[in-house]
Amino acid sequence: MAWWTCTQIYLDYAQTKTRAEVRGGGHKPWIQKGRGKARHSSIRSPLWKGGGVINGPRGPKSHFFMLPTEYRAMGLRVALSVKYAQDDLHIVDSLDIPDDRPEYLQDLMDTRFWGFSCLFVDDNDIMPENISLAVDKTPQFNLMPVYGLNVYSMLKHETLVLTLAAVEKIEKKLLYQMHKTARSKKYSYATRCTISGSASNKPNEYIHVSASSNPTEQIQGVAS
């Protein structure tokens, strides 16, 4: 799960030049016939040293892919359980602190034995002013809204501090994913599958999923 989170921000910028992008090679190296040599049209052909590259990397390329919702929810449950078992998960009423100095926040962390690094999570992205100013000058402390909570960020920080409002939202989302009865859909516009029964006898069909609230209207078969 932590590796999957990193793929969202990783871009592969490796890029090679084709024969059209390599400098030079504008004229034919020798005439087509009469010299007993193999025919060539340009010295920048992939057959030549210093020529273009065939099927090389053409960046920037993203390696991101969407994991099923069940796996993402399971990763959050496991990470939260590990933090709780290690006594690195703490719940507070709010993130309001009386002082905006980084020294005050550092002393608070040392007094409560919350470790070297800490991730503060609130229910929205509008954080209190004092803690925002204090965290801005300390790179080992970070603020995050609850909708951005992920396994990589939790494992990166030694301590996780959640507000009560954030815990309620996390609990609501995880319980919904654990007990939902609707079948999960793949992250694509059309899922190719074989439809058997009275719906269709054709082996290859696409199922299009609409935004309708009626379950009987959400799936309609379109013959390929």
Side-chain angles (χ1 to χ4, degrees):
M1 286 296 300
W3 172 81
W4 172 78
T5 306
C6 296
T7 60
Q8 302 183 36
I9 59 177
Y10 173 69
L11 288 177
D12 187 5
Y13 287 96
Q15 185 177 8
T16 56
K17 293 183 178 181
T18 63
R19 60 180 298 169
E21 297 171 340
V22 179
R23 183 176 178 179
H27 61 87
K28 195 175 178 67
W30 49 73
I31 60 176
Q32 183 83 354
K33 296 178 180 294
R35 290 198 174 186
K37 297 182 179 182
R39 52 196 177 187
H40 290 283
S41 61
S42 173
I43 61 173
R44 296 308 178 215
S45 169
L47 302 177
W48 287 64
K49 180 181 178 181
V53 178
I54 302 176
N55 298 329
R58 303 290 294 175
K61 178 182 178 182
S62 174
H63 295 272
F64 171 73
F65 62 95
M66 183 59 71
L67 276 179
T69 311
E70 293 81 2
Y71 292 167
R72 288 180 281 160
M74 181 180 63
L76 288 176
R77 294 198 307 268
V78 171
L80 290 171
S81 300
V82 170
K83 285 293 183 182
Y84 178 77
Q86 296 176 348
D87 198 20
D88 291 332
L89 175 62
H90 305 282
I91 301 175
V92 296
D93 294 332
S94 65
L95 297 180
D96 291 325
I97 56 176
D99 200 341
D100 61 352
R101 294 181 298 110
E103 294 79 11
Y104 176 83
L105 185 59
Q106 185 64 55
D107 293 340
L108 180 64
M109 297 289 295
D110 296 339
T111 304
R112 299 191 177 186
F113 301 100
W114 282 359
F116 175 76
S117 60
C118 183
L119 177 65
F120 299 94
V121 181
D122 203 355
D123 62 332
N124 53 32
D125 51 6
I126 301 177
M127 303 294 177
E129 181 179 0
N130 287 342
I131 195 170
S132 299
L133 295 175
V135 168
D136 186 49
K137 301 177 182 178
T138 50
Q140 67 270 22
F141 302 144
N142 289 287
L143 295 172
M144 179 176 290
V146 68
Y147 59 78
L149 186 63
N150 57 84
V151 176
Y152 175 76
S153 298
M154 285 191 284
L155 298 181
K156 183 180 178 181
H157 298 81
E158 185 176 354
T159 306
L160 178 64
V161 177
L162 305 174
T163 61
L164 284 175
V167 171
E168 292 176 358
K169 287 190 176 181
I170 294 173
E171 181 182 9
K172 180 180 178 181
K173 293 292 185 180
L174 291 181
L175 287 176
Y176 170 76
Q177 293 297 333
M178 291 172 60
H179 302 292
K180 68 178 182 178
T181 57
R183 185 177 180 181
S184 299
K185 301 179 290 294
K186 289 186 178 180
Y187 186 72
S188 60
Y189 294 103
T191 304
R192 185 157 190 159
C193 66
T194 303
I195 301 178
S196 59
S198 59
S200 175
N201 294 325
K202 297 181 179 180
N204 297 324
E205 291 196 0
Y206 288 96
I207 292 181
H208 291 269
V209 180
S210 63
S212 174
S213 59
N214 189 354
T216 59
E217 297 179 357
Q218 288 184 356
I219 300 179
Q220 58 180 5
V222 179
S224 58

